[in-house]
Amino acid sequence: MKILFVASEMAPFAKTGGLGDVLGSLAAAIQGLGHEVSVFMPRYQRIDIREWELEPVVDYFEMIIGNHLEATRIFLKKLANGVKVYFVEHPDFFMREELYGTSLGDYQDNDRRFIYFQRAVLKAVQELDLQPDIVHCHDWQTGLIPVYLKKPGIEYAPFQKARSFFTIHNLAYQGNFPPDSFPPTALGWEYYKSDYLEFYGKFSFLKGGLVFADEITTVSDRYSKEIQSKEFGCGMEGVLAARNESVTGIVNGIDPKEWDPETDLDIAAQYGAANPAKKKLNKAALQKENGFPSDENIPLLGLVARLVDQKGLDILIPLLEKFTQQNLQFVLLGTGEEKYHQILRDLAKKHKKGFGVHILFDAKMAKKIYAGADMLLFPSYYEPCGLGQIIGLRYGAVPVARATGGLADTIQEFDLVTQKGNGFLFEDYSSEALYTAVVKALKVFKQEKVWKGLVKNAMECDFSWTASAKKYSKLYETVKRRTVKVEKT
Ligand code: ADP
């Protein structure tokens, strides 16, 4: 089948978190199953035409969006794995330092940027006559596409046979904007009602995907259930419950070749499940880089994450002072909200010994932490899937995580008696519960032989896309056969 992905980010071109990773590796895995995969994403400033050898394939088309005439160019990059990536270029919207905003907040015109993006994608698919069987949209930035595909009159030839998928990578990011952002969608006010796109006095891109897509998926089984509850539904629980029959959880994978400590040249020494001994050289390197005492017996804890409320920083931060008084080392890499940057920088100034804070986005440093840390912390309040723990497991960094969403689905509590399990979980969203789990992990760490077994368990977990990509493929086939397009309005 011809599968068309639409997303706001994709590794290796541009990524701010797990969404980008998933797009890169899922596209490759679906292509690997014999489908023809194309991806549309914006050409951000950081995606250099020459460096990536992008080929212009559509030379300028113009569209009137709102009161503006917008000009678009489309570039193509054919990846070695067969996936075709199309880039939507606009002279202003994407020529910026960041993808969505800075630490001070979102770009003010994200509504216009992503309305434009989606309409430009639809037009480009028409220009290129791509004829997809499935249009698979990811997160709020693409939530209007399923609406357009169902809109009478917009079903021009390239989309006649298309069915739409919408994957929720994170329900909390909804793209909700005031009603005066709505007209540039050209959808007509009949779409601005509570059954459709209206959401508590705003218009919601995400709701478009949830109401209009033929099938909805999300990135772990547990999260697919959590989001139908009031606590995690972010106001959309009713919409999701109404579509319960069409909501499936499929856990994310990683590309095992991309995240492979045996071949990873960004880390100090290569190692794997069969030869784990050299992991300690990575720990020594990480200790040195952070100015920590070099001692393999001191447990080294890491955290790599976007620094936003979801990631559980409010339960972690009160513990950090406590950590500094113990015989452990802690290294954090992340970027996000200014309030967290401040607190963490202040703590780092106060405690230099064994406490490393890096407020930046740095893919290589992330790998060094995955390779060098003994444990990684995931105190998330909620976590749709989480890739950090999956990558960490592959690199033998044992997760200490809250039992929520994909963390609960991918981590099994280590059992001292059976020696089974790959990490440590806690239930309550509290500093005390997190601390108890860390203490438990530290106790096991002291038992060298047992810890080695646990690290082996972690590294032997299989989180390649093999099983999950097959589930998507099967669902594409089912939906393609099953769905009769219902014209709304
Ligand atoms: P989310 O999608 O919520 O950000 P995930 O755990 O699914 O969380 O994915 C996070 C991805 O982003 C992982 O690949 C992680 O290594 C990476 N990442 C997060 N923060 C940073 C950072 N500051 N520098 C480099 N990589 C980061």
Short mmCIF file of all heavy atoms in Angstrom, two decimals, residues 66 111 115 119 144 147-148 177-193 196-198 202-205:
data_model
loop_
_atom_site.label_atom_id
_atom_site.label_comp_id
_atom_site.label_asym_id
_atom_site.label_seq_id
_atom_site.Cartn_x
_atom_site.Cartn_y
_atom_site.Cartn_z
N GLY A 66 -6.44 32.56 4.55
CA GLY A 66 -6.87 33.78 5.24
C GLY A 66 -6.79 34.92 4.24
O GLY A 66 -7.25 34.80 3.11
N ASP A 111 -0.74 28.68 15.05
CA ASP A 111 -2.00 28.36 14.37
C ASP A 111 -1.85 28.52 12.86
O ASP A 111 -2.08 27.59 12.09
CB ASP A 111 -3.16 29.22 14.91
CG ASP A 111 -2.83 30.71 14.95
OD1 ASP A 111 -1.65 31.09 14.78
OD2 ASP A 111 -3.77 31.51 15.13
N ILE A 115 -1.80 25.51 10.11
CA ILE A 115 -2.92 25.47 9.14
C ILE A 115 -2.31 25.49 7.74
O ILE A 115 -2.64 24.69 6.87
CB ILE A 115 -3.87 26.68 9.33
CG1 ILE A 115 -4.67 26.54 10.62
CG2 ILE A 115 -4.81 26.81 8.12
CD1 ILE A 115 -5.47 27.78 11.00
N ARG A 119 -2.56 22.52 4.77
CA ARG A 119 -3.18 22.81 3.47
C ARG A 119 -2.14 22.68 2.35
O ARG A 119 -2.46 22.23 1.25
CB ARG A 119 -3.82 24.20 3.51
CG ARG A 119 -5.01 24.23 4.49
CD ARG A 119 -5.79 25.51 4.42
NE ARG A 119 -6.28 25.78 3.08
CZ ARG A 119 -6.86 26.92 2.72
NH1 ARG A 119 -7.04 27.88 3.62
NH2 ARG A 119 -7.28 27.11 1.48
N LEU A 144 -5.95 18.51 11.41
CA LEU A 144 -7.01 18.98 10.50
C LEU A 144 -7.07 18.15 9.22
O LEU A 144 -8.08 18.17 8.52
CB LEU A 144 -6.79 20.45 10.14
CG LEU A 144 -6.81 21.44 11.33
CD1 LEU A 144 -6.56 22.85 10.85
CD2 LEU A 144 -8.16 21.36 12.07
N VAL A 147 -9.93 15.96 8.82
CA VAL A 147 -11.14 16.75 8.60
C VAL A 147 -11.26 17.10 7.11
O VAL A 147 -12.30 16.87 6.49
CB VAL A 147 -11.14 18.06 9.44
CG1 VAL A 147 -12.51 18.72 9.38
CG2 VAL A 147 -10.71 17.79 10.88
N TYR A 148 -10.18 17.61 6.55
CA TYR A 148 -10.20 17.96 5.13
C TYR A 148 -10.56 16.75 4.27
O TYR A 148 -11.28 16.85 3.30
CB TYR A 148 -8.85 18.51 4.67
CG TYR A 148 -8.53 19.89 5.20
CD1 TYR A 148 -7.44 20.10 6.04
CD2 TYR A 148 -9.32 20.98 4.86
CE1 TYR A 148 -7.14 21.37 6.52
CE2 TYR A 148 -9.03 22.26 5.34
CZ TYR A 148 -7.94 22.44 6.18
OH TYR A 148 -7.65 23.69 6.65
N PHE A 177 -6.78 27.01 19.78
CA PHE A 177 -6.60 28.42 19.45
C PHE A 177 -7.93 29.14 19.50
O PHE A 177 -8.99 28.52 19.35
CB PHE A 177 -5.97 28.56 18.06
CG PHE A 177 -4.61 27.93 17.95
CD1 PHE A 177 -4.46 26.64 17.43
CD2 PHE A 177 -3.48 28.59 18.41
CE1 PHE A 177 -3.20 26.04 17.36
CE2 PHE A 177 -2.23 28.00 18.34
CZ PHE A 177 -2.08 26.73 17.82
N PRO A 178 -7.90 30.47 19.67
CA PRO A 178 -9.16 31.22 19.73
C PRO A 178 -9.91 31.15 18.41
O PRO A 178 -9.30 30.90 17.36
CB PRO A 178 -8.72 32.65 20.04
CG PRO A 178 -7.26 32.69 19.81
CD PRO A 178 -6.73 31.30 19.89
N PRO A 179 -11.23 31.39 18.46
CA PRO A 179 -12.04 31.26 17.25
C PRO A 179 -11.54 32.10 16.08
O PRO A 179 -11.68 31.69 14.92
CB PRO A 179 -13.43 31.74 17.67
CG PRO A 179 -13.44 31.73 19.15
CD PRO A 179 -12.04 31.74 19.64
N ASP A 180 -10.91 33.25 16.36
CA ASP A 180 -10.48 34.05 15.20
C ASP A 180 -9.28 33.44 14.46
O ASP A 180 -8.87 33.92 13.42
CB ASP A 180 -10.26 35.54 15.56
CG ASP A 180 -9.30 35.72 16.70
OD1 ASP A 180 -8.80 34.70 17.20
OD2 ASP A 180 -9.06 36.89 17.10
N SER A 181 -8.74 32.35 14.99
CA SER A 181 -7.70 31.62 14.24
C SER A 181 -8.33 30.70 13.20
O SER A 181 -7.63 30.10 12.39
CB SER A 181 -6.89 30.74 15.18
OG SER A 181 -6.25 31.48 16.16
N PHE A 182 -9.64 30.53 13.29
CA PHE A 182 -10.30 29.47 12.52
C PHE A 182 -10.48 29.75 11.02
O PHE A 182 -10.25 28.85 10.20
CB PHE A 182 -11.66 29.16 13.18
CG PHE A 182 -12.37 27.98 12.59
CD1 PHE A 182 -11.86 26.70 12.74
CD2 PHE A 182 -13.55 28.14 11.87
CE1 PHE A 182 -12.51 25.60 12.19
CE2 PHE A 182 -14.20 27.06 11.32
CZ PHE A 182 -13.68 25.78 11.48
N PRO A 183 -10.86 30.99 10.63
CA PRO A 183 -11.16 31.21 9.21
C PRO A 183 -10.09 30.75 8.22
O PRO A 183 -10.45 30.17 7.19
CB PRO A 183 -11.42 32.72 9.13
CG PRO A 183 -11.96 33.05 10.50
CD PRO A 183 -11.19 32.18 11.45
N PRO A 184 -8.78 30.93 8.50
CA PRO A 184 -7.80 30.47 7.51
C PRO A 184 -7.86 28.97 7.20
O PRO A 184 -7.30 28.51 6.20
CB PRO A 184 -6.46 30.82 8.15
CG PRO A 184 -6.76 31.91 9.10
CD PRO A 184 -8.14 31.64 9.62
N THR A 185 -8.55 28.20 8.04
CA THR A 185 -8.68 26.76 7.72
C THR A 185 -9.54 26.57 6.48
O THR A 185 -9.46 25.53 5.83
CB THR A 185 -9.36 25.97 8.87
OG1 THR A 185 -10.69 26.46 9.04
CG2 THR A 185 -8.59 26.07 10.17
N ALA A 186 -10.40 27.57 6.20
CA ALA A 186 -11.36 27.50 5.08
C ALA A 186 -12.34 26.34 5.26
O ALA A 186 -12.91 25.85 4.29
CB ALA A 186 -10.63 27.39 3.74
N LEU A 187 -12.52 25.90 6.50
CA LEU A 187 -13.43 24.76 6.70
C LEU A 187 -14.89 25.21 6.77
O LEU A 187 -15.78 24.40 6.58
CB LEU A 187 -13.05 24.02 8.00
CG LEU A 187 -11.86 23.08 7.86
CD1 LEU A 187 -11.38 22.63 9.23
CD2 LEU A 187 -12.20 21.87 7.00
N GLY A 188 -15.11 26.46 7.07
CA GLY A 188 -16.51 26.91 7.20
C GLY A 188 -16.97 26.74 8.63
O GLY A 188 -16.60 25.78 9.32
N TRP A 189 -17.80 27.69 9.09
CA TRP A 189 -18.18 27.71 10.51
C TRP A 189 -19.02 26.50 10.90
O TRP A 189 -19.18 26.21 12.09
CB TRP A 189 -18.93 29.01 10.85
CG TRP A 189 -17.97 30.17 10.89
CD1 TRP A 189 -17.84 31.15 9.95
CD2 TRP A 189 -16.98 30.45 11.90
NE1 TRP A 189 -16.83 32.02 10.30
CE2 TRP A 189 -16.29 31.62 11.49
CE3 TRP A 189 -16.60 29.83 13.09
CZ2 TRP A 189 -15.25 32.18 12.23
CZ3 TRP A 189 -15.57 30.40 13.83
CH2 TRP A 189 -14.91 31.55 13.40
N GLU A 190 -19.56 25.77 9.92
CA GLU A 190 -20.32 24.57 10.29
C GLU A 190 -19.42 23.53 10.97
O GLU A 190 -19.90 22.63 11.64
CB GLU A 190 -21.08 23.99 9.09
CG GLU A 190 -20.24 23.45 7.96
CD GLU A 190 -19.85 24.51 6.93
OE1 GLU A 190 -19.85 25.71 7.28
OE2 GLU A 190 -19.54 24.13 5.79
N TYR A 191 -18.11 23.68 10.80
CA TYR A 191 -17.18 22.76 11.49
C TYR A 191 -16.83 23.25 12.90
O TYR A 191 -16.19 22.54 13.66
CB TYR A 191 -15.90 22.58 10.66
CG TYR A 191 -16.10 21.63 9.51
CD1 TYR A 191 -16.68 22.07 8.32
CD2 TYR A 191 -15.77 20.29 9.61
CE1 TYR A 191 -16.90 21.20 7.27
CE2 TYR A 191 -15.98 19.41 8.57
CZ TYR A 191 -16.56 19.87 7.40
OH TYR A 191 -16.77 19.00 6.37
N TYR A 192 -17.20 24.50 13.17
CA TYR A 192 -16.89 25.04 14.50
C TYR A 192 -18.07 24.78 15.43
O TYR A 192 -18.85 25.67 15.75
CB TYR A 192 -16.57 26.54 14.41
CG TYR A 192 -16.04 27.11 15.71
CD1 TYR A 192 -14.69 27.03 16.02
CD2 TYR A 192 -16.90 27.71 16.64
CE1 TYR A 192 -14.19 27.51 17.22
CE2 TYR A 192 -16.41 28.20 17.85
CZ TYR A 192 -15.07 28.09 18.13
OH TYR A 192 -14.59 28.56 19.32
N LYS A 193 -18.26 23.54 15.82
CA LYS A 193 -19.30 23.22 16.79
C LYS A 193 -18.79 22.10 17.69
O LYS A 193 -17.80 21.43 17.35
CB LYS A 193 -20.60 22.83 16.08
CG LYS A 193 -20.49 21.69 15.10
CD LYS A 193 -21.85 21.46 14.44
CE LYS A 193 -21.80 20.34 13.44
NZ LYS A 193 -23.02 20.16 12.69
N TYR A 196 -17.63 18.77 16.57
CA TYR A 196 -16.50 18.73 15.64
C TYR A 196 -15.26 19.39 16.24
O TYR A 196 -14.58 18.79 17.06
CB TYR A 196 -16.89 19.39 14.31
CG TYR A 196 -17.92 18.60 13.52
CD1 TYR A 196 -18.49 19.13 12.37
CD2 TYR A 196 -18.33 17.33 13.90
CE1 TYR A 196 -19.43 18.42 11.62
CE2 TYR A 196 -19.26 16.61 13.18
CZ TYR A 196 -19.80 17.16 12.04
OH TYR A 196 -20.72 16.46 11.32
N LEU A 197 -14.96 20.62 15.88
CA LEU A 197 -13.67 21.20 16.25
C LEU A 197 -13.70 22.14 17.43
O LEU A 197 -12.65 22.49 17.97
CB LEU A 197 -13.04 21.94 15.05
CG LEU A 197 -12.88 21.11 13.78
CD1 LEU A 197 -12.15 21.90 12.72
CD2 LEU A 197 -12.11 19.83 14.06
N GLU A 198 -14.88 22.58 17.84
CA GLU A 198 -14.96 23.50 18.97
C GLU A 198 -14.64 22.73 20.25
O GLU A 198 -15.10 21.61 20.46
CB GLU A 198 -16.36 24.12 19.03
CG GLU A 198 -16.48 25.29 19.98
CD GLU A 198 -16.81 24.91 21.42
OE1 GLU A 198 -17.34 23.79 21.64
OE2 GLU A 198 -16.54 25.70 22.32
N LYS A 202 -12.65 27.22 22.19
CA LYS A 202 -11.52 27.37 21.27
C LYS A 202 -11.72 26.42 20.10
O LYS A 202 -12.63 25.60 20.12
CB LYS A 202 -10.22 27.05 21.99
CG LYS A 202 -9.93 28.06 23.08
CD LYS A 202 -8.50 28.01 23.46
CE LYS A 202 -8.17 29.23 24.32
NZ LYS A 202 -6.88 29.10 24.95
N PHE A 203 -10.84 26.52 19.14
CA PHE A 203 -10.91 25.50 18.09
C PHE A 203 -9.66 24.65 18.21
O PHE A 203 -8.57 25.14 18.46
CB PHE A 203 -11.14 26.14 16.73
CG PHE A 203 -10.02 26.10 15.76
CD1 PHE A 203 -9.76 24.95 15.01
CD2 PHE A 203 -9.24 27.22 15.56
CE1 PHE A 203 -8.73 24.93 14.09
CE2 PHE A 203 -8.21 27.20 14.65
CZ PHE A 203 -7.94 26.06 13.91
N SER A 204 -9.85 23.35 18.12
CA SER A 204 -8.80 22.41 18.47
C SER A 204 -8.38 21.57 17.27
O SER A 204 -9.18 20.82 16.71
CB SER A 204 -9.30 21.49 19.60
OG SER A 204 -8.39 20.45 19.82
N PHE A 205 -7.12 21.69 16.92
CA PHE A 205 -6.58 20.86 15.83
C PHE A 205 -6.69 19.38 16.21
O PHE A 205 -7.09 18.54 15.42
CB PHE A 205 -5.09 21.15 15.64
CG PHE A 205 -4.71 22.39 14.89
CD1 PHE A 205 -5.21 23.63 15.23
CD2 PHE A 205 -3.80 22.31 13.85
CE1 PHE A 205 -4.81 24.78 14.55
CE2 PHE A 205 -3.40 23.43 13.16
CZ PHE A 205 -3.90 24.67 13.51
#
